[in-house]
Amino acid sequence: MARVVVDVMPKPEILDPQGQAVAGALPRLGFHGVRDVRQGKHFELDVDDSVDDDTLDKIAEGFLSNPVIEDFVVRRVDQ
Amino acid sequence: MARVVVDVMPKPEILDPQGQAVAGALPRLGFHGVRDVRQGKHFELDVDDSVDDDTLDKIAEGFLSNPVIEDFVVRRVDQ
């Protein structure tokens, strides 16, 4: 069994209203110095050792993200 | 300027319907071997060097997550 992380983020050129809402609210809460915030999705998958990297990329691209507006990063992590 | 990642996940004992929906759909799409999927939020923050770890923890705990049902991890990453 392996643990895989997939992080899905809006493409840089895509407007990120959620991230902007967070960045805008932080100074009002007394937190200064945060220049930019972007918000995306974080997936943690437990997969059999039979699942190879190519399959993980297909899952990330075809199912966990929308390739038109999002980028993804797949990482195998130590358990 | 530093880049900080905050990953927010449902606590293990909390039901994760989104993650379960993904895990349930993958075999129907022909992807086998994925035992479990959990879905959370991934934040990327650009912060001034003046922002210390204690402040980042307060932002993550008090604003980016709901400590009752979610855990968070703060990581400084190389740009």
Side-chain angles (χ1 to χ4, degrees), chain A residues 16-36:
Chain A
D16 174 14
Q18 288 177 306
Q20 286 182 354
V22 172
L26 286 174
R28 289 198 302 272
L29 293 166
F31 299 115
H32 300 285
V34 177
R35 296 294 154 204
D36 188 34

Side-chain angles (χ1 to χ4, degrees), chain B:
Chain B
M1 186 80 84
R3 167 69 53 95
V4 175
V5 164
V6 178
D7 287 324
V8 176
M9 291 297 286
K11 287 183 185 291
E13 66 274 17
I14 298 291
L15 187 68
D16 174 14
Q18 288 177 306
Q20 286 182 354
V22 171
L26 286 174
R28 291 198 302 272
L29 292 166
F31 297 116
H32 301 285
V34 178
R35 295 294 156 205
D36 188 36
V37 176
R38 294 183 65 72
Q39 179 172 343
K41 292 173 282 189
H42 177 82
F43 294 92
E44 292 182 2
L45 291 76
D46 290 335
V47 304
D48 289 344
D49 295 333
S50 60
V51 179
D52 59 23
D53 289 348
D54 189 47
T55 302
L56 291 171
D57 276 345
K58 283 191 183 114
I59 289 173
E61 182 162 18
F63 192 58
L64 301 182
S65 69
N66 174 349
V68 175
I69 60 169
E70 293 172 328
D71 291 325
F72 66 86
V73 171
V74 179
R75 278 181 296 132
R76 285 179 182 271
V77 296
D78 310 325
Q79 290 230 23

Side-chain angles (χ1 to χ4, degrees), chain A:
Chain A
M1 190 80 82
R3 167 69 53 95
V4 175
V5 164
V6 179
D7 287 322
V8 177
M9 291 297 285
K11 286 183 185 290
E13 66 274 19
I14 297 292
L15 188 68
D16 174 14
Q18 288 177 306
Q20 286 182 354
V22 172
L26 286 174
R28 289 198 302 272
L29 293 166
F31 299 115
H32 300 285
V34 177
R35 296 294 154 204
D36 188 34
V37 177
R38 294 183 67 71
Q39 178 173 342
K41 294 174 282 190
H42 178 82
F43 295 93
E44 292 182 3
L45 292 74
D46 289 336
V47 303
D48 289 346
D49 296 333
S50 60
V51 179
D52 59 24
D53 290 348
D54 188 47
T55 302
L56 291 171
D57 278 346
K58 282 192 184 113
I59 290 174
E61 181 162 18
F63 192 59
L64 301 182
S65 70
N66 174 348
V68 174
I69 58 169
E70 292 171 328
D71 292 324
F72 66 86
V73 172
V74 178
R75 277 179 299 131
R76 286 179 183 271
V77 295
D78 309 327
Q79 286 227 25

